[in-house]
Amino acid sequence: MARATARPGSDAGLGGFGALFDLKAAGFHDPLLVATTDGVGTKLKVAIAVDRHDTVGIDLVAMCVNDLIVQGAEPLLFLDYYATGKLDVAAGRAIVAGIAEGCRQAGCALVGGETAELPGMYAGGDYDLAGFAVGAVERDRVLTGGGVAVGDVVLGLASSGVHSNGYSLVRRVVERAGLDYHTPAPFAPDQSLADALLTPTRIYVRSLLPSIRAGRIKALAHITGGGLLENIPRVLPDGLGVTLDAASWTLPPVFRWLARAGGIDPAEMARTFNCGIGMVVISGPEQAASLAAELRAAGETVATLGHVRPAVADQPRVAITAMESTWRD
């Protein structure tokens, strides 16, 4: 499975104490390395509860490589850390298959990892995953957000679902509703609740790289823990904020159900979940329409969310209008 992810610069060979990568063979001239690490969090508890482990590896890769692409970096290599009380070979194989699939989607090589049996740390079938990704970007193509200006357009790329954040709250809502993961999802009756909640995190790398390299994107924000309210400011220069219109995109059924069943206020939804927007793209107004068309042609569902504005003292840097009227049943 690892060999199937080989790419220029790496033969994805396993078994040594480290992995080599040739940046020159990968086509870089004056690169900067970018490194990220992340995990899947308590979404793993859902996978363990239903003994389904084939999608969480994709989540693991996605959470790392989506953080690379927001800085303009192409993912090159990936390593995983898989820790469990006692190795279940079938579960381990499914997890690694998911990791390999995530690497294939991102175009990076799975070059190694670590599997640890820790019976004093993990009970029963429990396990944890961590991922480590390294990418590279040409020095003159690094995305810092420094060029973002008032009037720039904020686009949103649709998420595939809850992705991999907020699952402690998701699991609490499921428990409070008295639901079983094997029963049909209240928001998607053609799927089990587990299948719906285990939908893997979307990987945005291949669709975004061409636009980044062409210089058509000013900033990107991966919407993870902290939701829309806390992630977008991470890529804005001081003194700037954004106004988004909640009516400009459709809140997916899973989030509408979570809000209703959990009694979660719209502002808290926007602070906890991606609410249907997995990646935010900021572009100059003169390029926004063509960029949106380009991203749609690459397979993304794109919405024009709002615009960049001056920040207002003592007010949130991300203002979302029409939440109350559009996100409540």
Side-chain angles (χ1 to χ4, degrees):
M1 288 186 283
R3 281 195 297 271
T5 68
R7 53 151 295 147
S10 171
D11 61 5
L14 301 179
F17 286 92
L20 302 178
F21 193 94
D22 186 342
L23 285 167
K24 187 175 181 179
F28 288 90
H29 303 286
D30 184 24
L32 295 174
L33 291 179
V34 184
T36 62
T37 183
D38 212 330
V40 183
T42 57
K43 187 174 187 176
L44 294 177
K45 297 293 286 185
V46 180
I48 292 166
V50 297
D51 194 25
R52 181 184 168 187
H53 313 281
D54 58 331
T55 61
V56 291
I58 301 174
D59 287 300
L60 184 66
V61 176
M63 296 302 289
C64 294
V65 299
N66 284 343
D67 279 354
L68 288 180
I69 196 67
V70 300
Q71 294 173 92
E74 176 187 356
L76 301 176
L77 58 91
F78 189 85
L79 300 98
D80 69 279
Y81 176 74
Y82 169 36
T84 184
K86 180 174 176 56
L87 180 63
D88 179 323
V89 175
R93 182 181 298 276
I95 290 166
V96 173
I99 293 171
E101 171 59 19
C103 288
R104 185 195 66 78
Q105 292 182 24
C108 64
L110 175 58
V111 298
E114 169 74 0
T115 300
E117 286 188 309
L118 304 173
M121 290 284 290
Y122 299 94
D126 285 349
Y127 63 87
D128 198 10
L129 297 174
F132 311 87
V134 176
V137 57
E138 297 291 0
R139 193 177 301 269
D140 61 354
R141 282 288 178 256
V142 179
L143 292 181
T144 65
V148 173
V150 172
D152 282 346
V153 176
V154 181
L155 304 175
L157 307 187
S159 67
S160 55
V162 183
H163 284 186
S164 298
N165 296 102
Y167 273 81
S168 293
L169 180 54
V170 170
R171 291 168 47 243
R172 179 63 62 88
V173 172
V174 170
E175 179 184 357
R176 174 176 169 173
L179 297 176
D180 185 286
Y181 287 116
H182 296 281
T183 58
F187 51 88
D190 58 332
Q191 291 182 291
S192 72
L193 182 57
D195 285 346
L197 294 178
L198 289 174
T199 300
T201 304
R202 185 167 180 81
I203 293 174
Y204 299 96
V205 170
R206 291 185 186 271
S207 58
L208 286 169
L209 267 176
S211 300
I212 292 170
R213 288 172 173 163
R216 287 191 280 274
I217 292 175
K218 290 190 174 186
L220 294 167
H222 183 202
I223 308 304
T224 57
L228 293 161
L229 299 186
E230 295 182 6
N231 282 290
I232 298 175
R234 296 169 66 181
V235 301
L236 296 176
D238 290 344
L240 296 183
V242 298
T243 297
L244 312 181
D245 180 3
S248 65
W249 79 97
T250 301
L251 187 71
V254 59
F255 296 109
R256 196 170 292 279
W257 173 77
L258 284 167
R260 182 177 62 252
I264 306 170
D265 181 82
E268 190 61 27
M269 291 291 296
R271 186 177 290 107
T272 304
F273 299 113
N274 67 63
C275 296
I277 302 296
M279 185 72 71
V280 164
V281 183
I282 300 179
S283 169
E286 70 284 352
Q287 293 186 318
S290 60
L291 176 59
E294 188 174 284
L295 293 171
R296 290 187 184 101
E300 299 296 343
T301 299
V302 186
T304 300
L305 306 182
H307 62 277
V308 178
R309 54 164 173 80
V312 179
D314 301 323
Q315 292 188 20
R317 295 178 72 190
V318 177
I320 307 179
T321 63
M323 280 196 300
E324 291 288 338
S325 59
T326 60
W327 287 9
R328 289 188 188 275
D329 289 336

